[in-house]
Amino acid sequence: MTFTLPGFGFLIVSRIILALGSGVFAIAAKTAAAKLAPPEKQAGAIGTVIRFSAAIIIGVPIGRVVALLYDWKLIFVGIGVLSLLAIFVIIRTIPATIIGSTVPLGKQLAYLKNPKILMGLGVTFFWQLGYGVMYSYIAPFLLTISAMSGREVSGALFAFGVATLIGSKVGGFMTDKIGNPKTLVGGLVVHCLALVLLSTIARSTFVAIPLLMLWSFSAWSSGPGMQYNLVWLAPEASGIMLSLYGSFIQLGIATAAGIGGIAVKSTSVLSVSWIGAASVAIAAIIAAVSFSLTRKVANYEKVV
């Protein structure tokens, strides 16, 4: 649709269809990973599935070259062809998994009445809000704050993608090794610190790029732990938990774009990093309180 139909309206429609398909695929992929992996490696398996920055590292430069030399619509032709190839590969290689009976929407939403699940989703929302409000304006932020050139920004985003790739994998690995509370809360604290440093000392390219990589590494090290936590809270409904996670991610992205736009227009682009840091700090506090309550309940049950 993007390639053949003219006008901005059709582009928005095709984008909506793409988002619907992506959402269904992402939930199915992560659910399959959690079911196929042994219990002690579930977080790592989820981290591997969401490690899409490997595609970003390759795809973004290719897309920029194609758009400059030919036509940006050709990018979507390539995406369509590769998607058809992916469908064939998945059918041939991924085994069928038992997903259980269909759960009505009302019963799915009933999980939101569980305070622990609601807190887990709250961590997801504020984490994504803090990440998204900065990421949405990362290019103008770097151009303004660190005085990078356009070419340097492209290099910085490449480094960002590499750090994202490493962070998601390390996050899953550390969750399996030292536990979710330490990995998740620690990653959120470093995430918040990185955003503060980006807004205060990132005045040159040599300082900004390492801080950018620290930010992306810490941000994406939290993703596997958040999803693993939700699956652990309701193992009988792992697919529902991951779908709720995806919904709160999208809600965070939408909120971040809106708040970021208002902040940039009314103050300056520097404000997005401070808003992001405050939001991630809230996520860290909620996560710490949630894990503390869970630990107290577990200790009480042992005594009883």
Side-chain angles (χ1 to χ4, degrees):
M1 287 180 64
T2 302
F3 179 75
T4 58
L5 300 178
F8 183 73
F10 287 111
L11 177 62
I12 295 299
V13 172
S14 68
R15 179 64 177 159
I16 293 172
I17 295 173
L18 176 63
L20 290 171
S22 318
V24 172
F25 172 80
I27 300 305
K30 288 181 284 192
T31 302
K35 289 182 177 294
L36 292 172
E40 70 277 7
K41 294 184 178 180
Q42 285 185 341
I46 293 174
T48 299
V49 170
I50 65 174
R51 199 154 41 104
F52 63 87
S53 51
I56 293 178
I57 293 170
I58 300 172
V60 170
I62 292 176
R64 290 173 64 91
V65 171
V66 172
L68 289 172
L69 298 180
Y70 301 102
D71 185 348
W72 64 267
K73 287 188 176 182
L74 290 177
I75 299 170
F76 290 89
V77 176
I79 293 173
V81 172
L82 291 174
S83 297
L84 291 174
L85 177 61
I87 290 172
F88 175 77
V89 173
I90 289 170
I91 291 174
R92 299 283 297 185
T93 59
I94 303 298
T97 56
I98 299 174
I99 59 174
S101 57
T102 302
V103 180
L105 180 60
K107 189 173 181 180
Q108 295 183 37
L109 296 177
Y111 282 99
L112 296 176
K113 297 178 181 179
N114 185 324
K116 295 180 182 178
I117 293 176
L118 196 58
M119 292 179 77
L121 292 171
V123 174
T124 299
F125 172 78
F126 284 105
W127 163 73
Q128 184 59 51
L129 172 59
Y131 172 80
V133 73
M134 178 68 169
Y135 184 73
S136 298
Y137 299 91
I138 186 60
F141 180 91
L142 293 175
L143 289 169
T144 302
I145 303 303
S146 64
M148 287 185 182
S149 65
R151 181 174 296 180
E152 288 174 331
V153 169
S154 297
L157 293 179
F158 177 83
F160 177 93
V162 172
T164 301
L165 176 68
I166 299 172
S168 59
K169 187 62 178 178
V170 170
F173 175 80
M174 295 303 293
T175 298
D176 290 328
K177 288 296 181 182
I178 67 173
N180 202 16
K182 292 180 180 178
T183 303
L184 181 53
V185 175
L188 290 170
V189 170
V190 175
H191 184 174
C192 180
L193 178 62
L195 287 173
V196 171
L197 292 176
L198 276 169
S199 63
T200 53
I201 66 173
R203 303 304 178 188
S204 68
T205 301
F206 295 106
V207 176
I209 290 181
L211 288 177
L212 193 68
M213 295 181 70
L214 178 64
W215 168 48
S216 60
F217 174 88
S218 58
W220 284 98
S221 69
S222 303
M226 278 185 281
Q227 294 175 81
Y228 175 78
N229 181 53
L230 291 171
V231 171
W232 178 79
L233 289 172
E236 77 286 354
S238 58
I240 296 174
M241 291 299 101
L242 291 173
S243 66
L244 287 172
Y245 171 87
S247 298
F248 273 73
I249 284 288
Q250 298 304 318
L251 181 61
I253 292 173
T255 306
I259 292 177
I262 295 172
V264 170
K265 185 177 181 180
S266 58
T267 57
S268 71
V269 71
L270 180 63
S271 62
V272 296
S273 60
W274 289 107
I275 295 172
S279 182
V280 175
I282 294 173
I285 292 170
I286 296 174
V289 171
S290 176
F291 286 128
S292 177
L293 292 175
T294 301
R295 186 167 54 251
K296 288 181 180 178
V297 171
N299 291 335
Y300 174 78
E301 290 176 348
K302 286 181 180 179
V303 173
V304 174

